[in-house]
Amino acid sequence: MNPTDARLQALLQPITEPMAAMRAVLAEELATDAPAVADMTDHISRFQGKQLRAALVLLVGQATQNDDRELSTVAAIVELIHLATLVHDDVLDGAEVRRRVACVNERWDNQVAVLLGDWLYSRAFHRSTTLKSRLASQLLAKTTQKICVGEIEQAGGRYDFEMAETRYENIAGAKTAALYSAACELGARYPGDSGFGTSMASFGWELGLAFQIIDDVLDLTGTEAEVGKSVGNDVEDGKVTLAVLKTYAMADGDTRARIRDVYTLPDLEDRVARLREVCDLGPGLDYARARASALLTSAQGRLSALGASPAREALETLMTFLQERRF
Amino acid sequence: MNPTDARLQALLQPITEPMAAMRAVLAEELATDAPAVADMTDHISRFQGKQLRAALVLLVGQATQNDDRELSTVAAIVELIHLATLVHDDVLDGAEVRRRVACVNERWDNQVAVLLGDWLYSRAFHRSTTLKSRLASQLLAKTTQKICVGEIEQAGGRYDFEMAETRYENIAGAKTAALYSAACELGARYPGDSGFGTSMASFGWELGLAFQIIDDVLDLTGTEAEVGKSVGNDVEDGKVTLAVLKTYAMADGDTRARIRDVYTLPDLEDRVARLREVCDLGPGLDYARARASALLTSAQGRLSALGASPAREALETLMTFLQERRF
């Protein structure tokens, strides 16, 4: 176990039992009689990653004294929706490596990846309709809408070097923060309402947005080995992320033209390296890191309203963990 | 208006008002503040077709004396799910023409078609969670699963010339009949239960399966002008449909090899014409038509248990209409 994994394990310690229950539900939902589907779900279960969204449901649940027995199922449903978006993301980005396992659309074709994602969504929605409260169904269907709109807006905003920062944050937020926010909100208030629903929704949004901003930074600065997935995709795909937006905004006309060329000229290799040649990304990267840091500080503040608990401590450790991830 | 459209209009006469209410809900659900999405939904609303699935919900509803006020909304949700499957189908099949409007993934790229389909699904599911009964949510989420499994099995069964007929029917059924069946079941029993739920579910299944079998026949025998969408796709995509399965089963070894060649040799043009050269499709086509006819007769029998009503008459006319479509 590498040090990062060991620290994550420690973080999940207060929710060992509900996470096990969550995994049991997830396994149930990934089980199928259809052999053609089973072959793929086996594969998917290998790249499930850290199950951070499920952990957020359960950690926030515990930190807000929500001991509803259905919370593990809610967490599994959130994780299923995340899996569906990952599978469809593979269709979208043509990313070549995700967590060092060949992604679904390389092993099978795009057609089947679309269907598998649809199947995962419908499993998730169906399970949510069997819960005593409609809150999970409703919030997660709304969240899925937000995610789609964000991704569609992102596709429409490619090569837009003058995008407003708020628009960048809306798009990055819809992509990642929306599901984090729903996870934390459900943890705090499923099945009904609690005083912490709104603040935990904001906590999750800030956490998720910070995570996405850092992810975008790492796509510019990291190596595949460090990040655990291919990097440089954003420049390749025409996605202008916060550090580049800021760099572009501060650049003179010549530099701007060169930045645009790096994104748009056909058949360029290693566009990130070329980007670093034509401009100084440093201040833009610092700006993005500072923004992520501010979001994490704000999120941290929201935790202070909760009583002390091992789960709250784990959430605080998670924040530190994310703060460090950016370097 | 061509004669076909005029006859369809007459068919919908008993449900003029609920269809208008259905369309209003559909318009609400296709409305969005996101400009990037709005551009696409405008386009989608132009290829909505005959809204046959929504009409089935409402005709069966009326024929079974179900006057629940939410039925128009249920019908709109069924139609939204159908639209989502169409949009994802365009990603899948690469079909070039659907109802003579360029399909979504030609005007936008595959990425956005996947997201738009996901958005439509999540709109549909969200709307279903606002209804008084969970029946629509649950049945439609289950149905979406079935559709996906059927399509995945179909992808896995390509170039399988020895597929059992029951497997062909399961796949064809999952693809089309599942949603017809859900539409008819919901029409009969939403929001709760009625004596007609099971028989109308079977009615819808048989109707939908007959429709799909005829569709597969037309893909082999029709022209683009007649059918209103591109034809010959199944052979091109390696889908071995009922008429070919039967032809293959009855053929000698040499003919079988030639049939396989027509499907699999690279860069062949007009594979359907070549298929007709290497074998006599006639008996296989007749067999498929007879099977569709038997299904329609069985479905028709199920209607006889219902009291006389304009809606039941319309459903009977629809059957005749489908019977004729096959020639």
Side-chain angles (χ1 to χ4, degrees), chain A residues 34 88 92 111 115 118 122-123 129 131-132 134 138 145 148 151 153, chain B residues 34 88 92 111 115 118 122-123 129 131-132 134 138 145 148 151 153:
Chain A
H88 279 183
L92 309 185
Q111 304 186 0
L115 293 165
D118 290 349
S122 55
R123 294 290 273 194
T129 64
L131 297 170
K132 63 174 172 266
R134 293 172 180 225
Q138 294 192 327
Q145 277 175 48
C148 296
E151 299 255 19
E153 297 271 351
Chain B
H88 279 182
L92 308 185
Q111 304 186 1
L115 292 165
D118 290 349
S122 55
R123 294 290 272 195
T129 65
L131 297 169
K132 62 173 174 267
R134 292 172 182 223
Q138 295 193 327
Q145 278 175 47
C148 296
E151 299 256 19
E153 299 270 350

PDB file of all heavy atoms in Angstrom, chain A residues 34 88 92 111 115 118 122-123 129 131-132 134 138 145 148 151 153, chain B residues 34 88 92 111 115 118 122-123 129 131-132 134 138 145 148 151 153:
ATOM      1  N   ALA A  34     -27.423 -11.065 -17.489  1.00  0.00           N
ATOM      2  CA  ALA A  34     -27.080 -10.983 -18.909  1.00  0.00           C
ATOM      3  C   ALA A  34     -25.565 -11.128 -19.065  1.00  0.00           C
ATOM      4  O   ALA A  34     -24.811 -10.274 -18.608  1.00  0.00           O
ATOM      5  CB  ALA A  34     -27.552  -9.660 -19.483  1.00  0.00           C
ATOM      6  N   HIS A  88     -19.477   7.113 -19.570  1.00  0.00           N
ATOM      7  CA  HIS A  88     -19.822   8.026 -20.661  1.00  0.00           C
ATOM      8  C   HIS A  88     -18.715   9.038 -20.928  1.00  0.00           C
ATOM      9  O   HIS A  88     -18.530   9.477 -22.064  1.00  0.00           O
ATOM     10  CB  HIS A  88     -21.162   8.722 -20.384  1.00  0.00           C
ATOM     11  CG  HIS A  88     -22.347   7.873 -20.729  1.00  0.00           C
ATOM     12  ND1 HIS A  88     -23.642   8.298 -20.626  1.00  0.00           N
ATOM     13  CD2 HIS A  88     -22.407   6.608 -21.223  1.00  0.00           C
ATOM     14  CE1 HIS A  88     -24.455   7.326 -21.020  1.00  0.00           C
ATOM     15  NE2 HIS A  88     -23.729   6.296 -21.369  1.00  0.00           N
ATOM     16  N   LEU A  92     -16.676  10.291 -24.270  1.00  0.00           N
ATOM     17  CA  LEU A  92     -16.494  11.694 -24.561  1.00  0.00           C
ATOM     18  C   LEU A  92     -15.054  12.054 -24.840  1.00  0.00           C
ATOM     19  O   LEU A  92     -14.732  12.608 -25.871  1.00  0.00           O
ATOM     20  CB  LEU A  92     -16.960  12.539 -23.362  1.00  0.00           C
ATOM     21  CG  LEU A  92     -18.336  12.252 -22.800  1.00  0.00           C
ATOM     22  CD1 LEU A  92     -18.650  13.251 -21.723  1.00  0.00           C
ATOM     23  CD2 LEU A  92     -19.363  12.305 -23.902  1.00  0.00           C
ATOM     24  N   GLN A 111     -20.333   2.342 -28.893  1.00  0.00           N
ATOM     25  CA  GLN A 111     -21.746   1.975 -28.789  1.00  0.00           C
ATOM     26  C   GLN A 111     -22.053   1.343 -27.450  1.00  0.00           C
ATOM     27  O   GLN A 111     -22.993   1.698 -26.759  1.00  0.00           O
ATOM     28  CB  GLN A 111     -22.102   0.935 -29.849  1.00  0.00           C
ATOM     29  CG  GLN A 111     -21.802   1.336 -31.260  1.00  0.00           C
ATOM     30  CD  GLN A 111     -22.330   0.309 -32.262  1.00  0.00           C
ATOM     31  OE1 GLN A 111     -22.918  -0.697 -31.882  1.00  0.00           O
ATOM     32  NE2 GLN A 111     -22.134   0.572 -33.530  1.00  0.00           N
ATOM     33  N   LEU A 115     -24.302   2.363 -23.966  1.00  0.00           N
ATOM     34  CA  LEU A 115     -25.359   1.515 -23.395  1.00  0.00           C
ATOM     35  C   LEU A 115     -25.050   1.106 -21.964  1.00  0.00           C
ATOM     36  O   LEU A 115     -25.930   1.074 -21.112  1.00  0.00           O
ATOM     37  CB  LEU A 115     -25.537   0.270 -24.259  1.00  0.00           C
ATOM     38  CG  LEU A 115     -26.093   0.551 -25.649  1.00  0.00           C
ATOM     39  CD1 LEU A 115     -25.903  -0.661 -26.549  1.00  0.00           C
ATOM     40  CD2 LEU A 115     -27.563   0.922 -25.539  1.00  0.00           C
ATOM     41  N   ASP A 118     -25.823   3.964 -19.765  1.00  0.00           N
ATOM     42  CA  ASP A 118     -27.285   4.082 -19.621  1.00  0.00           C
ATOM     43  C   ASP A 118     -27.808   3.031 -18.648  1.00  0.00           C
ATOM     44  O   ASP A 118     -28.700   3.311 -17.842  1.00  0.00           O
ATOM     45  CB  ASP A 118     -27.981   3.881 -20.978  1.00  0.00           C
ATOM     46  CG  ASP A 118     -27.722   5.042 -21.926  1.00  0.00           C
ATOM     47  OD1 ASP A 118     -27.190   6.074 -21.480  1.00  0.00           O
ATOM     48  OD2 ASP A 118     -28.058   4.910 -23.112  1.00  0.00           O
ATOM     49  N   SER A 122     -29.775   3.689 -15.168  1.00  0.00           N
ATOM     50  CA  SER A 122     -31.121   3.201 -14.891  1.00  0.00           C
ATOM     51  C   SER A 122     -31.135   2.281 -13.671  1.00  0.00           C
ATOM     52  O   SER A 122     -32.112   2.244 -12.929  1.00  0.00           O
ATOM     53  CB  SER A 122     -31.746   2.531 -16.126  1.00  0.00           C
ATOM     54  OG  SER A 122     -30.929   1.508 -16.610  1.00  0.00           O
ATOM     55  N   ARG A 123     -30.041   1.549 -13.431  1.00  0.00           N
ATOM     56  CA  ARG A 123     -29.932   0.778 -12.192  1.00  0.00           C
ATOM     57  C   ARG A 123     -29.976   1.735 -10.997  1.00  0.00           C
ATOM     58  O   ARG A 123     -30.659   1.486 -10.015  1.00  0.00           O
ATOM     59  CB  ARG A 123     -28.615   0.002 -12.131  1.00  0.00           C
ATOM     60  CG  ARG A 123     -28.482  -1.077 -13.139  1.00  0.00           C
ATOM     61  CD  ARG A 123     -29.383  -2.237 -12.879  1.00  0.00           C
ATOM     62  NE  ARG A 123     -28.782  -3.226 -11.985  1.00  0.00           N
ATOM     63  CZ  ARG A 123     -29.263  -4.452 -11.831  1.00  0.00           C
ATOM     64  NH1 ARG A 123     -30.326  -4.843 -12.505  1.00  0.00           N
ATOM     65  NH2 ARG A 123     -28.701  -5.298 -11.010  1.00  0.00           N
ATOM     66  N   THR A 129     -35.683   4.539  -6.470  1.00  0.00           N
ATOM     67  CA  THR A 129     -37.151   4.556  -6.341  1.00  0.00           C
ATOM     68  C   THR A 129     -37.647   3.535  -5.320  1.00  0.00           C
ATOM     69  O   THR A 129     -38.823   3.513  -4.999  1.00  0.00           O
ATOM     70  CB  THR A 129     -37.861   4.256  -7.687  1.00  0.00           C
ATOM     71  OG1 THR A 129     -37.542   2.924  -8.083  1.00  0.00           O
ATOM     72  CG2 THR A 129     -37.467   5.230  -8.765  1.00  0.00           C
ATOM     73  N   LEU A 131     -36.369   3.372  -2.282  1.00  0.00           N
ATOM     74  CA  LEU A 131     -36.111   3.929  -0.947  1.00  0.00           C
ATOM     75  C   LEU A 131     -37.374   4.539  -0.361  1.00  0.00           C
ATOM     76  O   LEU A 131     -38.300   4.888  -1.088  1.00  0.00           O
ATOM     77  CB  LEU A 131     -35.027   5.006  -1.038  1.00  0.00           C
ATOM     78  CG  LEU A 131     -33.641   4.543  -1.497  1.00  0.00           C
ATOM     79  CD1 LEU A 131     -32.751   5.750  -1.767  1.00  0.00           C
ATOM     80  CD2 LEU A 131     -33.008   3.643  -0.435  1.00  0.00           C
ATOM     81  N   LYS A 132     -37.395   4.695   0.960  1.00  0.00           N
ATOM     82  CA  LYS A 132     -38.616   5.211   1.597  1.00  0.00           C
ATOM     83  C   LYS A 132     -38.871   6.673   1.234  1.00  0.00           C
ATOM     84  O   LYS A 132     -40.009   7.116   1.178  1.00  0.00           O
ATOM     85  CB  LYS A 132     -38.542   5.051   3.119  1.00  0.00           C
ATOM     86  CG  LYS A 132     -37.417   5.828   3.785  1.00  0.00           C
ATOM     87  CD  LYS A 132     -37.516   5.731   5.317  1.00  0.00           C
ATOM     88  CE  LYS A 132     -36.286   6.338   5.970  1.00  0.00           C
ATOM     89  NZ  LYS A 132     -35.217   5.392   6.274  1.00  0.00           N
ATOM     90  N   ARG A 134     -38.307  10.086  -1.418  1.00  0.00           N
ATOM     91  CA  ARG A 134     -38.008  10.431  -2.811  1.00  0.00           C
ATOM     92  C   ARG A 134     -36.827  11.372  -2.937  1.00  0.00           C
ATOM     93  O   ARG A 134     -36.445  11.747  -4.045  1.00  0.00           O
ATOM     94  CB  ARG A 134     -39.182  11.180  -3.426  1.00  0.00           C
ATOM     95  CG  ARG A 134     -40.403  10.358  -3.592  1.00  0.00           C
ATOM     96  CD  ARG A 134     -41.537  11.256  -4.008  1.00  0.00           C
ATOM     97  NE  ARG A 134     -42.719  10.436  -4.161  1.00  0.00           N
ATOM     98  CZ  ARG A 134     -43.551  10.533  -5.177  1.00  0.00           C
ATOM     99  NH1 ARG A 134     -43.370  11.451  -6.104  1.00  0.00           N
ATOM    100  NH2 ARG A 134     -44.591   9.754  -5.266  1.00  0.00           N
ATOM    101  N   GLN A 138     -34.976  12.461  -6.468  1.00  0.00           N
ATOM    102  CA  GLN A 138     -35.168  13.802  -7.016  1.00  0.00           C
ATOM    103  C   GLN A 138     -33.862  14.571  -7.099  1.00  0.00           C
ATOM    104  O   GLN A 138     -33.532  15.155  -8.132  1.00  0.00           O
ATOM    105  CB  GLN A 138     -36.188  14.560  -6.171  1.00  0.00           C
ATOM    106  CG  GLN A 138     -37.566  13.914  -6.275  1.00  0.00           C
ATOM    107  CD  GLN A 138     -38.673  14.760  -5.713  1.00  0.00           C
ATOM    108  OE1 GLN A 138     -38.478  15.504  -4.761  1.00  0.00           O
ATOM    109  NE2 GLN A 138     -39.849  14.650  -6.293  1.00  0.00           N
ATOM    110  N   GLN A 145     -28.881  16.010 -14.423  1.00  0.00           N
ATOM    111  CA  GLN A 145     -29.178  17.076 -15.397  1.00  0.00           C
ATOM    112  C   GLN A 145     -28.093  18.137 -15.410  1.00  0.00           C
ATOM    113  O   GLN A 145     -27.621  18.559 -16.456  1.00  0.00           O
ATOM    114  CB  GLN A 145     -30.476  17.779 -15.038  1.00  0.00           C
ATOM    115  CG  GLN A 145     -31.724  17.089 -15.508  1.00  0.00           C
ATOM    116  CD  GLN A 145     -32.957  17.809 -14.999  1.00  0.00           C
ATOM    117  OE1 GLN A 145     -33.065  19.012 -15.109  1.00  0.00           O
ATOM    118  NE2 GLN A 145     -33.869  17.057 -14.435  1.00  0.00           N
ATOM    119  N   CYS A 148     -24.902  17.006 -17.043  1.00  0.00           N
ATOM    120  CA  CYS A 148     -25.010  16.982 -18.513  1.00  0.00           C
ATOM    121  C   CYS A 148     -24.939  18.384 -19.091  1.00  0.00           C
ATOM    122  O   CYS A 148     -24.230  18.626 -20.074  1.00  0.00           O
ATOM    123  CB  CYS A 148     -26.326  16.341 -18.950  1.00  0.00           C
ATOM    124  SG  CYS A 148     -26.475  14.621 -18.492  1.00  0.00           S
ATOM    125  N   GLU A 151     -21.427  19.655 -18.992  1.00  0.00           N
ATOM    126  CA  GLU A 151     -20.548  19.047 -20.004  1.00  0.00           C
ATOM    127  C   GLU A 151     -20.886  19.553 -21.410  1.00  0.00           C
ATOM    128  O   GLU A 151     -20.006  19.723 -22.241  1.00  0.00           O
ATOM    129  CB  GLU A 151     -20.669  17.515 -19.960  1.00  0.00           C
ATOM    130  CG  GLU A 151     -20.267  16.901 -18.629  1.00  0.00           C
ATOM    131  CD  GLU A 151     -18.897  16.223 -18.680  1.00  0.00           C
ATOM    132  OE1 GLU A 151     -18.105  16.517 -19.585  1.00  0.00           O
ATOM    133  OE2 GLU A 151     -18.651  15.388 -17.794  1.00  0.00           O
ATOM    134  N   GLU A 153     -22.181  22.511 -22.060  1.00  0.00           N
ATOM    135  CA  GLU A 153     -21.650  23.880 -22.098  1.00  0.00           C
ATOM    136  C   GLU A 153     -20.128  23.846 -22.298  1.00  0.00           C
ATOM    137  O   GLU A 153     -19.563  24.675 -23.008  1.00  0.00           O
ATOM    138  CB  GLU A 153     -21.956  24.617 -20.785  1.00  0.00           C
ATOM    139  CG  GLU A 153     -23.428  24.814 -20.481  1.00  0.00           C
ATOM    140  CD  GLU A 153     -23.989  26.106 -21.073  1.00  0.00           C
ATOM    141  OE1 GLU A 153     -23.197  26.930 -21.568  1.00  0.00           O
ATOM    142  OE2 GLU A 153     -25.223  26.274 -21.064  1.00  0.00           O
TER     143      GLU A 153
ATOM    144  N   ALA B  34     -30.245  26.729 -20.467  1.00  0.00           N
ATOM    145  CA  ALA B  34     -28.885  26.612 -20.993  1.00  0.00           C
ATOM    146  C   ALA B  34     -28.912  26.745 -22.509  1.00  0.00           C
ATOM    147  O   ALA B  34     -29.461  25.892 -23.190  1.00  0.00           O
ATOM    148  CB  ALA B  34     -28.280  25.274 -20.572  1.00  0.00           C
ATOM    149  N   HIS B  88     -29.371   8.404 -28.345  1.00  0.00           N
ATOM    150  CA  HIS B  88     -28.244   7.488 -28.127  1.00  0.00           C
ATOM    151  C   HIS B  88     -28.120   6.464 -29.245  1.00  0.00           C
ATOM    152  O   HIS B  88     -27.020   6.008 -29.548  1.00  0.00           O
ATOM    153  CB  HIS B  88     -28.363   6.816 -26.757  1.00  0.00           C
ATOM    154  CG  HIS B  88     -27.871   7.679 -25.632  1.00  0.00           C
ATOM    155  ND1 HIS B  88     -27.829   7.284 -24.328  1.00  0.00           N
ATOM    156  CD2 HIS B  88     -27.370   8.942 -25.650  1.00  0.00           C
ATOM    157  CE1 HIS B  88     -27.333   8.271 -23.579  1.00  0.00           C
ATOM    158  NE2 HIS B  88     -27.072   9.284 -24.361  1.00  0.00           N
ATOM    159  N   LEU B  92     -25.096   5.143 -31.623  1.00  0.00           N
ATOM    160  CA  LEU B  92     -24.833   3.731 -31.810  1.00  0.00           C
ATOM    161  C   LEU B  92     -24.726   3.338 -33.265  1.00  0.00           C
ATOM    162  O   LEU B  92     -23.747   2.773 -33.702  1.00  0.00           O
ATOM    163  CB  LEU B  92     -25.971   2.918 -31.193  1.00  0.00           C
ATOM    164  CG  LEU B  92     -26.338   3.234 -29.756  1.00  0.00           C
ATOM    165  CD1 LEU B  92     -27.392   2.270 -29.279  1.00  0.00           C
ATOM    166  CD2 LEU B  92     -25.123   3.198 -28.874  1.00  0.00           C
ATOM    167  N   GLN B 111     -19.943  13.081 -28.715  1.00  0.00           N
ATOM    168  CA  GLN B 111     -19.869  13.468 -27.300  1.00  0.00           C
ATOM    169  C   GLN B 111     -21.153  14.130 -26.840  1.00  0.00           C
ATOM    170  O   GLN B 111     -21.723  13.792 -25.806  1.00  0.00           O
ATOM    171  CB  GLN B 111     -18.760  14.497 -27.090  1.00  0.00           C
ATOM    172  CG  GLN B 111     -17.395  14.069 -27.546  1.00  0.00           C
ATOM    173  CD  GLN B 111     -16.333  15.084 -27.172  1.00  0.00           C
ATOM    174  OE1 GLN B 111     -16.639  16.102 -26.560  1.00  0.00           O
ATOM    175  NE2 GLN B 111     -15.101  14.806 -27.519  1.00  0.00           N
ATOM    176  N   LEU B 115     -24.366  13.169 -24.174  1.00  0.00           N
ATOM    177  CA  LEU B 115     -24.788  14.034 -23.068  1.00  0.00           C
ATOM    178  C   LEU B 115     -26.241  14.464 -23.205  1.00  0.00           C
ATOM    179  O   LEU B 115     -26.980  14.533 -22.224  1.00  0.00           O
ATOM    180  CB  LEU B 115     -23.894  15.275 -23.018  1.00  0.00           C
ATOM    181  CG  LEU B 115     -22.453  14.982 -22.623  1.00  0.00           C
ATOM    182  CD1 LEU B 115     -21.559  16.172 -22.939  1.00  0.00           C
ATOM    183  CD2 LEU B 115     -22.383  14.623 -21.147  1.00  0.00           C
ATOM    184  N   ASP B 118     -28.371  11.642 -22.128  1.00  0.00           N
ATOM    185  CA  ASP B 118     -28.339  11.549 -20.661  1.00  0.00           C
ATOM    186  C   ASP B 118     -29.225  12.623 -20.035  1.00  0.00           C
ATOM    187  O   ASP B 118     -29.919  12.377 -19.047  1.00  0.00           O
ATOM    188  CB  ASP B 118     -26.906  11.736 -20.134  1.00  0.00           C
ATOM    189  CG  ASP B 118     -26.013  10.566 -20.481  1.00  0.00           C
ATOM    190  OD1 ASP B 118     -26.531   9.531 -20.938  1.00  0.00           O
ATOM    191  OD2 ASP B 118     -24.790  10.687 -20.292  1.00  0.00           O
ATOM    192  N   SER B 122     -32.469  12.049 -17.666  1.00  0.00           N
ATOM    193  CA  SER B 122     -32.566  12.565 -16.298  1.00  0.00           C
ATOM    194  C   SER B 122     -33.760  13.500 -16.148  1.00  0.00           C
ATOM    195  O   SER B 122     -34.383  13.559 -15.089  1.00  0.00           O
ATOM    196  CB  SER B 122     -31.259  13.211 -15.835  1.00  0.00           C
ATOM    197  OG  SER B 122     -30.851  14.208 -16.722  1.00  0.00           O
ATOM    198  N   ARG B 123     -34.125  14.203 -17.224  1.00  0.00           N
ATOM    199  CA  ARG B 123     -35.367  14.986 -17.194  1.00  0.00           C
ATOM    200  C   ARG B 123     -36.555  14.054 -16.987  1.00  0.00           C
ATOM    201  O   ARG B 123     -37.444  14.321 -16.184  1.00  0.00           O
ATOM    202  CB  ARG B 123     -35.573  15.753 -18.505  1.00  0.00           C
ATOM    203  CG  ARG B 123     -34.568  16.832 -18.791  1.00  0.00           C
ATOM    204  CD  ARG B 123     -34.708  17.994 -17.876  1.00  0.00           C
ATOM    205  NE  ARG B 123     -35.653  18.992 -18.368  1.00  0.00           N
ATOM    206  CZ  ARG B 123     -35.732  20.221 -17.875  1.00  0.00           C
ATOM    207  NH1 ARG B 123     -34.933  20.603 -16.890  1.00  0.00           N
ATOM    208  NH2 ARG B 123     -36.592  21.075 -18.345  1.00  0.00           N
ATOM    209  N   THR B 129     -40.396  11.394 -10.737  1.00  0.00           N
ATOM    210  CA  THR B 129     -40.344  11.403  -9.264  1.00  0.00           C
ATOM    211  C   THR B 129     -41.280  12.449  -8.669  1.00  0.00           C
ATOM    212  O   THR B 129     -41.467  12.482  -7.462  1.00  0.00           O
ATOM    213  CB  THR B 129     -38.931  11.677  -8.719  1.00  0.00           C
ATOM    214  OG1 THR B 129     -38.539  12.997  -9.095  1.00  0.00           O
ATOM    215  CG2 THR B 129     -37.928  10.674  -9.220  1.00  0.00           C
ATOM    216  N   LEU B 131     -44.464  12.629  -9.586  1.00  0.00           N
ATOM    217  CA  LEU B 131     -45.825  12.091  -9.671  1.00  0.00           C
ATOM    218  C   LEU B 131     -46.272  11.510  -8.328  1.00  0.00           C
ATOM    219  O   LEU B 131     -45.446  11.162  -7.496  1.00  0.00           O
ATOM    220  CB  LEU B 131     -45.889  10.998 -10.742  1.00  0.00           C
ATOM    221  CG  LEU B 131     -45.586  11.439 -12.171  1.00  0.00           C
ATOM    222  CD1 LEU B 131     -45.428  10.228 -13.079  1.00  0.00           C
ATOM    223  CD2 LEU B 131     -46.688  12.355 -12.689  1.00  0.00           C
ATOM    224  N   LYS B 132     -47.572  11.368  -8.171  1.00  0.00           N
ATOM    225  CA  LYS B 132     -48.066  10.863  -6.872  1.00  0.00           C
ATOM    226  C   LYS B 132     -47.697   9.402  -6.632  1.00  0.00           C
ATOM    227  O   LYS B 132     -47.510   8.984  -5.500  1.00  0.00           O
ATOM    228  CB  LYS B 132     -49.584  11.052  -6.758  1.00  0.00           C
ATOM    229  CG  LYS B 132     -50.397  10.296  -7.804  1.00  0.00           C
ATOM    230  CD  LYS B 132     -51.895  10.391  -7.520  1.00  0.00           C
ATOM    231  CE  LYS B 132     -52.706   9.772  -8.642  1.00  0.00           C
ATOM    232  NZ  LYS B 132     -53.128  10.748  -9.662  1.00  0.00           N
ATOM    233  N   ARG B 134     -45.178   5.966  -7.446  1.00  0.00           N
ATOM    234  CA  ARG B 134     -43.840   5.594  -7.905  1.00  0.00           C
ATOM    235  C   ARG B 134     -43.876   4.641  -9.085  1.00  0.00           C
ATOM    236  O   ARG B 134     -42.824   4.244  -9.592  1.00  0.00           O
ATOM    237  CB  ARG B 134     -43.098   4.857  -6.796  1.00  0.00           C
ATOM    238  CG  ARG B 134     -42.747   5.690  -5.637  1.00  0.00           C
ATOM    239  CD  ARG B 134     -42.206   4.803  -4.526  1.00  0.00           C
ATOM    240  NE  ARG B 134     -41.904   5.641  -3.390  1.00  0.00           N
ATOM    241  CZ  ARG B 134     -40.807   5.528  -2.666  1.00  0.00           C
ATOM    242  NH1 ARG B 134     -39.917   4.599  -2.937  1.00  0.00           N
ATOM    243  NH2 ARG B 134     -40.598   6.341  -1.661  1.00  0.00           N
ATOM    244  N   GLN B 138     -40.583   3.460 -11.315  1.00  0.00           N
ATOM    245  CA  GLN B 138     -40.025   2.118 -11.173  1.00  0.00           C
ATOM    246  C   GLN B 138     -40.108   1.333 -12.467  1.00  0.00           C
ATOM    247  O   GLN B 138     -39.129   0.738 -12.917  1.00  0.00           O
ATOM    248  CB  GLN B 138     -40.757   1.383 -10.050  1.00  0.00           C
ATOM    249  CG  GLN B 138     -40.491   2.055  -8.713  1.00  0.00           C
ATOM    250  CD  GLN B 138     -40.919   1.230  -7.526  1.00  0.00           C
ATOM    251  OE1 GLN B 138     -41.893   0.499  -7.619  1.00  0.00           O
ATOM    252  NE2 GLN B 138     -40.201   1.357  -6.425  1.00  0.00           N
ATOM    253  N   GLN B 145     -33.462  -0.284 -18.262  1.00  0.00           N
ATOM    254  CA  GLN B 145     -32.464  -1.349 -18.077  1.00  0.00           C
ATOM    255  C   GLN B 145     -32.609  -2.426 -19.133  1.00  0.00           C
ATOM    256  O   GLN B 145     -31.630  -2.864 -19.733  1.00  0.00           O
ATOM    257  CB  GLN B 145     -32.662  -2.026 -16.717  1.00  0.00           C
ATOM    258  CG  GLN B 145     -32.054  -1.317 -15.560  1.00  0.00           C
ATOM    259  CD  GLN B 145     -32.422  -2.002 -14.257  1.00  0.00           C
ATOM    260  OE1 GLN B 145     -32.329  -3.204 -14.133  1.00  0.00           O
ATOM    261  NE2 GLN B 145     -32.858  -1.231 -13.291  1.00  0.00           N
ATOM    262  N   CYS B 148     -31.364  -1.358 -22.512  1.00  0.00           N
ATOM    263  CA  CYS B 148     -29.892  -1.354 -22.586  1.00  0.00           C
ATOM    264  C   CYS B 148     -29.342  -2.767 -22.703  1.00  0.00           C
ATOM    265  O   CYS B 148     -28.461  -3.038 -23.526  1.00  0.00           O
ATOM    266  CB  CYS B 148     -29.287  -0.711 -21.344  1.00  0.00           C
ATOM    267  SG  CYS B 148     -29.706   1.019 -21.173  1.00  0.00           S
ATOM    268  N   GLU B 151     -29.871  -4.076 -26.160  1.00  0.00           N
ATOM    269  CA  GLU B 151     -28.966  -3.497 -27.161  1.00  0.00           C
ATOM    270  C   GLU B 151     -27.534  -4.020 -26.984  1.00  0.00           C
ATOM    271  O   GLU B 151     -26.820  -4.219 -27.955  1.00  0.00           O
ATOM    272  CB  GLU B 151     -28.969  -1.961 -27.052  1.00  0.00           C
ATOM    273  CG  GLU B 151     -30.323  -1.323 -27.308  1.00  0.00           C
ATOM    274  CD  GLU B 151     -30.421  -0.677 -28.687  1.00  0.00           C
ATOM    275  OE1 GLU B 151     -29.617  -1.001 -29.567  1.00  0.00           O
ATOM    276  OE2 GLU B 151     -31.325   0.168 -28.873  1.00  0.00           O
ATOM    277  N   GLU B 153     -26.768  -6.969 -25.723  1.00  0.00           N
ATOM    278  CA  GLU B 153     -26.815  -8.349 -26.234  1.00  0.00           C
ATOM    279  C   GLU B 153     -26.789  -8.349 -27.764  1.00  0.00           C
ATOM    280  O   GLU B 153     -26.170  -9.190 -28.387  1.00  0.00           O
ATOM    281  CB  GLU B 153     -28.082  -9.075 -25.753  1.00  0.00           C
ATOM    282  CG  GLU B 153     -28.206  -9.222 -24.257  1.00  0.00           C
ATOM    283  CD  GLU B 153     -27.580 -10.514 -23.736  1.00  0.00           C
ATOM    284  OE1 GLU B 153     -27.216 -11.371 -24.555  1.00  0.00           O
ATOM    285  OE2 GLU B 153     -27.443 -10.631 -22.508  1.00  0.00           O
TER     286      GLU B 153
END
